[in-house]
């Protein structure tokens, strides 16, 4: 019994956070960085062109993902000024979907989606240049753009094309254009 208690104590000691290092040389960067801050590795990758700078990559285009239960589609077209127009459809099976449209604004690596109509749904999505990912928790008003148990929480849309004309011609699940005229 005493040996198992001692082993458990050693295991717990190994799992605890190490004492913080002094600022300056040899210090470990904080894992809780503010949005927009980059590690030295991220900065080097951006400078070398290995990864895209999402803040400088145009968000216009066609994003789509197929899966067993259906298809998730997002089209983004140029709008007025620095705003974009979007159409979105996420299908999770029969009678389970989310569908809406609205305006979008890019702020660095974030995309602010404001749905039009009566829903007043607002989502701040993550944009990395190749994919738009909804957060794990969305505004409660966003339930109005979904049916059944559908939800936009955690839905990700990988980029297929960066072309606005392709985005405008994307059909929804009923064969109607999802972004026509947007």
């Amino acid at each position: 019994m005493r040996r198992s208690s001692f082993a458990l104590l050693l295991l717990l000691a190994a799992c605890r956070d190490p004492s913080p290092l002094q600022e300056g040389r040899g210090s470990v960067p904080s894992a809780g960085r503010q949005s927009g801050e980059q590690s030295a590795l991220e900065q080097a990758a951006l400078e070398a062109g290995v990864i895209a700078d999402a803040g400088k990559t145009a968000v216009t285009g066609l994003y789509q993902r197929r899966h067993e239960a259906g298809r998730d589609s997002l089209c983004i077209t140029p709008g007025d000024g620095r705003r974009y127009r979007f159409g979105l459809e996420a299908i999770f099976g029969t009678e389970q979907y989310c569908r809406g449209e609205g305006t979008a604004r890019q702020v660095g690596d974030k995309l602010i989606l404001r749905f039009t109509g009566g829903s007043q749904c607002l989502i701040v999505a993550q944009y990395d240049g190749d994919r738009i990912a909804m957060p794990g928790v969305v505004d409660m008003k966003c339930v109005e753009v979904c049916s059944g148990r559908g939800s936009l929480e955690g839905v990700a849309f990988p980029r297929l094309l960066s072309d606005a004309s392709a985005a405008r011609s994307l059909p929804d699940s009923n064969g109607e254009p999802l972004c026509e005229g947007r």
Side-chain angles (χ1 to χ4, degrees), residues 111-115 121-125 133-135 138-139 142 152:
L111 187 65
I112 302 168
L113 302 168
R114 183 179 304 275
F115 288 77
C121 173
L122 178 73
I123 297 176
V124 179
M134 303 296 173
V138 297
D139 185 1
C142 295
L152 290 171

Side-chain angles (χ1 to χ4, degrees), residues 8-81:
L8 182 60
L9 201 77
L10 282 175
L11 184 61
L12 287 173
C15 291
R16 77 176 187 93
D17 282 342
S19 62
L21 298 173
Q22 292 179 331
E23 288 290 355
R25 199 170 173 185
S27 66
V28 177
S30 171
R33 293 189 317 259
Q34 296 293 322
S35 178
E37 291 182 18
Q38 299 168 340
S39 71
L41 180 61
E42 288 171 317
Q43 187 61 39
L46 285 169
E47 289 171 5
V50 175
I51 59 174
D53 186 350
K56 295 179 181 174
T57 305
V59 71
T60 301
L62 169 60
Y63 300 79
Q64 191 174 69
R65 180 177 74 100
R66 293 185 186 277
H67 48 84
E68 308 81 45
R71 179 183 80 176
D72 303 333
S73 301
L74 173 64
C75 49
I76 300 177
T77 59
D80 299 331

Side-chain angles (χ1 to χ4, degrees), residues 61-67 72-75 127-133 155-162:
L62 169 60
Y63 300 79
Q64 191 174 69
R65 180 177 74 100
R66 293 185 186 277
H67 48 84
D72 303 333
S73 301
L74 173 64
C75 49
Y127 174 61
D128 70 4
D130 292 322
R131 182 176 84 119
I132 296 172
V155 175
F157 301 89
R159 184 191 296 267
L160 285 184
L161 297 167
S162 297

Side-chain angles (χ1 to χ4, degrees), residues 84-97:
Y84 298 91
R85 302 279 304 146
F86 76 90
L88 176 146
E89 181 178 59
I91 307 292
F92 308 106
T94 57
E95 308 302 319
Q96 313 261 351
Y97 62 88

